[in-house]
Amino acid sequence: MQLIRPDINIDFLASRKKALTFSVFMIVVSLALIAFKGLNLGIDFTGGTLVEVRFHQQVKTADIRQALVPAGYGKAVIQEFGSPEEILIRVQNQEGVEASAISTAILDALTDKFGADQVEMRRVEFVGPQVGEELKTAGMMAVFYTLIGILIYVMVRFKLRFALGADAAILHDIIIVVGVFSALQLEFSLSVVAALLTVLGYSLNDTIVVFDRIRENFEANKKKKNPLDEVEVCNQSINQTLARTLMTSATTLLVVFSLYFFGGEVIHNFAFALLVGIGVGTYSSIFIASPIMLALEGKFEMSEEELKELENRP
């Protein structure tokens, strides 16, 4: 069964200017959100103690905060975690106070208010401020080094303009995913950084498949008596790989949807980053990578006069 006809011929690149304008708008909005609204950084990056508790019946956040005031944690960050009965409490570390002492104080305060049979401790995590800062730096450097590695890899395998097109598409994907996290104020943790690196690899794989076909068609086009325009060759290449691109994305999204809906709250944000990233990555492999590669045609190549001058040098 063929969902997409082999002879399909959609003129994707006719809309490349509109697509690039839309992407620039999305990038500007995302950067503005990140700059002015910021990210809801998880305890991995901020440092502190995280306590997860479960109540046997729904309890108001205001009542929980009131219960924590006598213990000195009235300014704790309190949020639901999957269901109204499951609550995450995040507090800043105090010098000389161990995580076990903090979690015990919080549990005691809650049991005093709601009763020992109404609340149970589920988990406690502790991250020191120095470790949090190191993890934040390590996360950013991981993304940076990956982009440099991809630039070198694609440049060696193809040409510089292909490499810049691939890196631009990947950077576009990452900025928009992070922008969505900033807009929705979802917790940005190490697992989300792992999802970003996964999106990065997925998007690159998709782009390389399209570029591979473009390179083959460029070589075949040169041998023709009446070679086609590069834009037309790129458009044909995108159409030839369209079925593979869409089917790969659809099957991957099925798995990620399962993770999102049935994987539990712990990997909820990880799966959400993948969902957004795969959608944006599929779009960018068609509408961003190839148009930018085409726009850079001749930018890094010597003219005939320059080549002759180079050959005539002693």
Side-chain angles (χ1 to χ4, degrees), residues 112-175:
D112 287 346
K113 173 77 174 179
F114 303 103
D117 57 340
Q118 291 297 313
V119 58
E120 60 177 292
M121 181 80 72
R122 304 297 293 268
R123 66 176 162 127
V124 177
E125 291 181 10
F126 173 84
V127 178
Q130 182 63 33
V131 174
E133 195 59 37
E134 288 175 5
L135 289 174
K136 191 191 298 180
T137 305
M140 288 190 290
M141 293 310 291
V143 174
F144 175 74
Y145 286 135
T146 306
L147 285 173
I148 295 294
I150 288 171
L151 184 71
I152 294 171
Y153 166 72
V154 181
M155 199 165 60
V156 169
R157 189 171 167 188
F158 297 90
K159 289 181 179 177
L160 180 56
R161 63 174 173 144
F162 283 80
L164 292 174
D167 261 25
I170 290 167
L171 205 56
H172 160 275
D173 300 344
I174 291 176
I175 290 173

Side-chain angles (χ1 to χ4, degrees), residues 70-289:
Y73 298 113
K75 294 184 178 179
V77 177
I78 302 169
Q79 59 187 136
E80 292 181 4
F81 186 66
S83 69
E85 291 80 20
E86 295 184 37
I87 300 294
L88 279 183
I89 301 169
R90 287 188 294 173
V91 298
Q92 291 293 320
N93 291 330
Q94 297 175 3
E95 192 173 348
V97 181
E98 295 185 355
S100 57
I102 294 174
S103 61
T104 301
I106 288 175
L107 185 63
D108 288 345
L110 295 177
T111 53
D112 287 346
K113 173 77 174 179
F114 303 103
D117 57 340
Q118 291 297 313
V119 58
E120 60 177 292
M121 181 80 72
R122 304 297 293 268
R123 66 176 162 127
V124 177
E125 291 181 10
F126 173 84
V127 178
Q130 182 63 33
V131 174
E133 195 59 37
E134 288 175 5
L135 289 174
K136 191 191 298 180
T137 305
M140 288 190 290
M141 293 310 291
V143 174
F144 175 74
Y145 286 135
T146 306
L147 285 173
I148 295 294
I150 288 171
L151 184 71
I152 294 171
Y153 166 72
V154 181
M155 199 165 60
V156 169
R157 189 171 167 188
F158 297 90
K159 289 181 179 177
L160 180 56
R161 63 174 173 144
F162 283 80
L164 292 174
D167 261 25
I170 290 167
L171 205 56
H172 160 275
D173 300 344
I174 291 176
I175 290 173
I176 290 180
V177 174
V178 176
V180 170
F181 266 74
S182 175
L184 301 178
Q185 284 295 291
L186 297 174
E187 186 178 281
F188 195 88
S189 62
L190 271 182
S191 66
V192 177
V193 175
L196 286 179
L197 293 173
T198 308
V199 167
L200 207 145
Y202 178 88
S203 180
L204 175 68
N205 183 51
D206 228 17
T207 303
I208 290 293
V209 169
V210 177
F211 277 179
D212 224 15
R213 185 58 60 90
I214 290 174
R215 183 177 59 178
E216 289 175 10
N217 290 343
F218 273 178
E219 293 300 319
N221 190 50
K222 286 179 185 173
K223 298 173 184 174
K224 291 181 178 177
K225 285 186 178 178
N226 298 310
L228 299 172
D229 182 64
E230 277 201 354
V231 174
E232 198 170 338
V233 177
C234 281
N235 216 33
Q236 286 179 355
S237 306
I238 294 171
N239 277 284
Q240 289 167 2
T241 55
L242 185 62
R244 183 264 175 206
T245 300
L246 295 183
M247 290 308 295
T248 305
S249 298
T251 50
T252 309
L253 282 173
L254 279 177
V255 176
V256 180
F257 267 119
S258 300
L259 279 177
Y260 182 79
F261 288 110
F262 307 114
E265 195 64 27
V266 173
I267 60 170
H268 198 262
N269 288 343
F270 172 80
F272 182 76
L274 288 180
L275 278 177
V276 177
I278 290 171
V280 177
T282 304
Y283 161 82
S284 69
S285 66
I286 295 174
F287 290 103
I288 302 299

